[in-house]
Amino acid sequence: MWQLKLRPALILSGMLLAGPVIQAQSVAPSLFIADSSIRTATDSAGIRFSAPLPALTQIPGAPEPFYTHLWDFGDGHFSTEASPQHNYADGKEYDVYLYAVNNYDDGKKPARKKIKVTGKGNNNNLASVSTAEKDFFKANGVFELKYNCMAKPNDTMVLLAGWKNTGTAEDEGKLYLFLNEKVFEQTCFENVGANKGFRFFNNGDSLAPGSPGLMAGLEPGKQLKITESGSPPSSVVRVLNAAEASNTFLSTMMLYKSSYMIELGKTAPGAAHFALAELKVTPEMIRDTNATVTVTGVYVPKNGNPVMHRLNIPVVNSHDPNKMNLKGGRLGYRFLSKHKELTYKVRFQNTGKGPARRIALDITVPGILDPQTVAVKDVSPFCPPCQPGAEKRGCWELEQKERGLLFTLHGIYLPGTNQKGIEDKDSTKGFMEFSIVTKKKLDPVPFNARTAIYFDKNEPILTNYATGRFKKSLSPIVMAGFEKAWGKERVSDGLVTGVGIAPLAPFRPFLQFELYYRQGIRTNAGNYVLDRAGVIPVEGRKELVYNKIDSSVTNRVSQVKLIPVQLRHNFGNYFSAGAGISVTADMGGEIETGLTYQGISANGTSDRYQQQRSEKIKAFSHIRLQPFMDLQLGKVKLGPHLGVRYYYNSKNTGYGFLYAGWRF
């Protein structure tokens, strides 16, 4: 078997959801008084836990705020009830943790609470199992990851990993966890606490030291099941054969910076175990609160088939279960296709006191998207599309509007969080995931979508803006052309090559840097005729009396040109203008001066004498500043273009530059 490289991050996640575990049963009252604000009461059925929490503040226009809870009892069991009761199997001492999350509240999330209790134990040595545990394995029945809250920068979250032995014999195996996707430059999650933040409760479960190796390929005949969730789970399940699974293992590992491997102890048939990880959401985590990060886990039992589960965690600036996300919302412009498929996901939760039977999602999408291309990828509560002419019950319907979409779920049953008897909070949540295609290649500007969510006939709840943005990147540029010089002093024509760098496809004015080298071509800088009389010594003769001088100057100057400051702006996709300052220095070449003296010889015939002079040009000499203006036509954002530029200085020594360029 080749092993997956997995770091402590995912394992961390698993542990946090399970949280620090505590066993407590029949405990003396004195043991409960000294620790935190957690309150306990003991009876024959176990220990009842509760804790006072800060008052919630209603956000104008938002639903009524409420708390969600995650109790870690310290013995490998947990609950999401506000005031749970737990019966411990053994009379040991346990650390009990409470993680509370304030939803639709402007206040700060309460800090983690902790208390130490002592369990009484019972005759059958079995601990009580909460409804949250019983309903945990919804995605595939074997292995799943869950979180207690969405990822809010500079906050903490708990990740819970659970696995179940569905075989008929005792089993063991390995669990691989992956955190911190490489697609994001920032590190999103950091480990918190001892043991790299992981908490295990089953004998034999432990974090393997060092970096795990690659997972081996599956044995022939075995399959890999892949599921996904984001609270609640997706209804889509993929099954891969052994050969396909090996490639999937490797490609998944390569997507993450942090990977961990957990050695799993023995698990009895039908038994389920959990691990918790407390994760610090870094302050510099993706500042785009429309983004979604993914944590991946792979459960590899010794005897059964492996299961891979992907947990999608939205990034938020407040704990709000009604949210709209654009998957892969940070787009790269360089390789963007003309008709780009985008995937949106609208999450919703019924916070009422009764069930919702009809849910409408009124989605406003930007005009660059084509409503006719919508395809539903997944929906929860799962139901089929409504059929024309049939009764609209237990199905979804799509109405395509000019600037938006209207999804309606008819005749479904979505319980409310405040509904009597509802303990599984995931059952109160749902989502609609769909794809939509752009009408043309996107311009590199942000674009927004938003949803108004209607539960039955209640007032709508508005989600955040799901914003698509383009990744910041640099665009290298190559240029070549011909420079025509005019004026006096060291000037000559030349073949010019250059490179530049600028932001990729900017839509606002931007700065561009360029560097050129010009190989000078021999150029006649001017001919002058002077009517002047004089006498000049001539070799082999005494002298030549002249009355006219013809003078010619020829230059061949190689130069380097730096453009440290250039401000440009793209006017649409095919026209660009700019202006800036160049710094030019002569790098070599020569100046040749030819003088022809014309006169009359001693015998009265016309005569002439030619004299040549040559001056070498020193490197980095004749440094000068020149302002310039520039125009470009073509694919000025990305691709080939033609340009013309004019350099000028006060000495009337100018250059005209005609060139072709390519932006990559």
Side-chain angles (χ1 to χ4, degrees):
M1 293 234 342
W2 51 282
Q3 294 191 17
L4 279 172
K5 198 169 185 180
L6 209 2
R7 276 187 170 181
L10 263 184
I11 295 183
L12 245 192
S13 311
M15 298 181 122
L16 256 183
L17 279 184
V21 191
I22 351 167
Q23 295 184 359
Q25 204 82 352
S26 176
V27 180
S30 60
L31 293 177
F32 298 101
I33 296 175
D35 211 336
S36 63
S37 58
I38 295 179
R39 299 169 181 172
T40 60
T42 307
D43 57 28
S44 58
I47 301 175
R48 174 74 65 181
F49 295 92
S50 63
L53 296 171
L56 295 167
T57 303
Q58 174 78 42
I59 300 175
E64 183 179 352
F66 63 95
Y67 278 109
T68 53
H69 306 76
L70 174 63
W71 291 89
D72 168 14
F73 297 123
D75 61 347
H77 295 279
F78 66 94
S79 174
T80 57
E81 297 177 44
S83 180
Q85 189 170 33
H86 187 63
N87 186 30
Y88 288 88
D90 299 311
K92 299 178 181 178
E93 194 172 64
Y94 300 96
D95 290 327
V96 176
Y97 293 82
L98 168 61
Y99 300 92
V101 180
N102 49 336
N103 299 271
Y104 297 119
D105 176 54
D106 269 342
K108 186 177 180 181
K109 189 174 75 172
R112 180 189 70 179
K113 295 177 179 292
K114 178 182 177 182
I115 190 175
K116 192 176 290 291
V117 299
T118 301
K120 177 182 178 182
N122 51 57
N123 294 332
N124 56 12
N125 292 323
L126 292 176
S128 57
V129 178
S130 68
T131 302
E133 290 183 53
K134 296 176 183 178
D135 294 335
F136 188 84
F137 301 97
K138 288 185 175 181
N140 51 57
V142 179
F143 168 66
E144 193 163 343
L145 302 172
K146 290 188 178 182
Y147 55 77
N148 74 322
C149 62
M150 299 180 188
K152 182 179 179 182
N154 206 28
D155 204 346
T156 56
M157 62 172 280
V158 178
L159 181 66
L160 176 60
W163 57 97
K164 187 175 184 180
N165 181 1
T166 57
T168 58
E170 190 176 63
D171 203 356
E172 53 189 359
K174 293 180 173 62
L175 173 61
Y176 298 88
L177 296 174
F178 301 96
L179 294 177
N180 296 318
E181 296 166 278
K182 293 179 180 177
V183 68
F184 303 114
E185 295 181 1
Q186 304 92 333
T187 296
C188 298
F189 302 108
E190 293 178 348
N191 309 59
V192 175
N195 198 33
K196 297 185 178 180
F198 293 95
R199 296 203 293 274
F200 304 105
F201 312 104
N202 183 43
N203 289 333
D205 293 353
S206 63
L207 179 63
S211 299
L214 295 178
M215 290 178 59
L218 297 183
E219 299 174 11
K222 287 194 174 183
Q223 296 177 320
L224 172 68
K225 182 180 291 186
I226 301 176
T227 56
E228 187 172 326
S229 70
S231 185
S234 167
S235 60
V236 178
V237 179
R238 294 174 57 205
V239 178
L240 305 181
N241 59 34
E244 295 171 325
S246 297
N247 294 331
T248 301
F249 287 152
L250 178 59
S251 61
T252 298
M253 182 192 70
M254 299 303 294
L255 294 176
Y256 291 86
K257 303 174 188 176
S258 306
S259 56
Y260 304 86
M261 183 176 74
I262 303 171
E263 297 282 358
L264 302 178
K266 296 186 181 301
T267 306
H273 292 290
F274 301 91
L276 293 175
E278 189 169 338
L279 302 179
K280 170 72 173 180
V281 184
T282 62
E284 58 277 352
M285 187 193 204
I286 314 153
R287 290 176 173 82
D288 182 4
T289 54
N290 151 70
T292 299
V293 297
T294 301
V295 170
T296 299
V298 184
Y299 170 54
V300 186
K302 188 174 182 179
N303 299 320
N305 289 313
V307 176
M308 176 182 289
H309 187 75
R310 294 170 177 151
L311 178 63
N312 298 313
I313 306 174
V315 181
V316 299
N317 54 22
S318 64
H319 297 293
D320 181 351
N322 296 299
K323 185 172 179 62
M324 185 176 188
N325 288 92
L326 170 61
K327 282 192 174 182
R330 300 288 286 181
L331 305 174
Y333 185 81
R334 183 171 280 113
F335 303 109
L336 188 69
S337 59
K338 183 176 181 180
H339 298 291
K340 170 69 174 178
E341 182 181 270
L342 303 174
T343 299
Y344 287 92
K345 189 170 186 176
V346 181
R347 294 174 172 84
F348 49 86
Q349 183 174 29
N350 178 13
T351 59
K353 297 181 179 179
R357 303 305 305 272
R358 176 183 178 274
I359 299 174
L361 308 175
D362 191 355
I363 305 172
T364 302
V365 298
I368 56 176
L369 304 181
D370 185 358
Q372 303 300 318
T373 63
V374 170
V376 173
K377 305 183 76 171
D378 200 4
V379 60
S380 177
F382 180 77
C383 55
C386 298
Q387 299 301 316
E391 183 181 6
K392 295 178 181 179
R393 174 180 291 181
C395 62
W396 60 264
E397 179 184 30
L398 169 62
E399 179 185 345
Q400 296 167 338
K401 303 187 298 183
E402 183 178 353
R403 287 298 304 273
L405 310 166
L406 179 61
F407 286 103
T408 305
L409 281 70
H410 296 279
I412 53 95
Y413 186 94
L414 188 70
T417 56
N418 295 312
Q419 184 175 330
K420 187 176 181 180
I422 299 299
E423 297 180 2
D424 179 14
K425 301 303 180 183
D426 270 359
S427 67
T428 67
K429 300 176 183 179
F431 64 82
M432 174 66 71
E433 185 175 3
F434 63 94
S435 64
I436 187 169
V437 178
T438 58
K439 297 177 181 178
K440 60 179 182 178
K441 183 169 181 176
L442 295 172
D443 291 325
V445 296
F447 54 94
N448 295 322
R450 197 180 196 186
T451 302
I453 304 173
Y454 295 83
F455 294 94
D456 292 327
K457 296 182 179 180
N458 294 308
E459 291 297 312
I461 299 172
L462 295 178
T463 68
N464 60 299
Y465 284 102
T467 304
R469 293 183 175 89
F470 286 85
K471 299 176 184 177
K472 292 183 179 180
S473 182
L474 294 177
S475 177
I477 312 161
V478 294
M479 292 156 286
F482 182 77
E483 200 170 74
K484 176 66 178 176
W486 59 84
K488 299 179 180 180
E489 301 185 353
R490 298 174 178 175
V491 294
S492 68
D493 301 336
L495 297 175
V496 180
T497 56
V499 295
I501 194 164
L504 178 64
F507 59 92
R508 295 189 179 100
F510 61 96
L511 296 176
Q512 182 167 304
F513 173 86
E514 298 171 6
L515 179 65
Y516 294 93
Y517 175 75
R518 189 187 74 165
Q519 180 63 50
I521 298 174
R522 192 178 295 274
T523 303
N524 189 344
N527 293 305
Y528 309 95
V529 179
L530 300 176
D531 292 325
R532 179 182 297 173
V535 178
I536 184 173
V538 178
E539 293 182 14
R541 308 182 188 178
K542 252 185 175 182
E543 57 186 21
L544 173 66
V545 178
Y546 62 88
N547 55 17
K548 183 182 294 185
I549 302 175
D550 291 340
S551 174
S552 65
V553 180
T554 302
N555 292 332
R556 183 173 60 190
V557 183
S558 298
Q559 296 175 332
V560 63
K561 191 187 303 290
L562 175 68
I563 311 293
V565 178
Q566 179 184 183
L567 181 64
R568 301 197 63 86
H569 184 57
N570 296 329
F571 298 91
N573 295 321
Y574 302 103
F575 178 72
S576 177
I581 296 290
S582 71
V583 181
T584 304
D586 294 345
M587 296 299 295
E590 58 184 6
I591 301 174
E592 296 180 356
T593 304
L595 298 176
T596 303
Y597 298 89
Q598 298 184 22
I600 300 176
S601 64
N603 57 13
T605 61
S606 61
D607 200 357
R608 64 176 56 192
Y609 173 68
Q610 293 182 335
Q611 189 179 66
Q612 295 291 124
R613 299 178 190 171
S614 180
E615 176 188 352
K616 295 293 183 181
I617 297 175
K618 296 180 180 180
F620 295 104
S621 63
H622 198 213
I623 299 175
R624 56 208 176 275
L625 298 178
Q626 291 179 287
F628 67 85
M629 295 185 298
D630 182 280
L631 298 176
Q632 291 179 359
L633 293 174
K635 294 186 176 181
V636 295
K637 290 182 179 177
L638 196 65
H641 56 270
L642 296 175
V644 60
R645 180 175 297 180
Y646 172 65
Y647 297 93
Y648 175 79
N649 70 17
S650 60
K651 295 182 180 180
N652 296 323
T653 303
Y655 298 91
F657 182 33
L658 181 64
Y659 64 96
W662 196 299
R663 292 179 182 268
F664 293 93

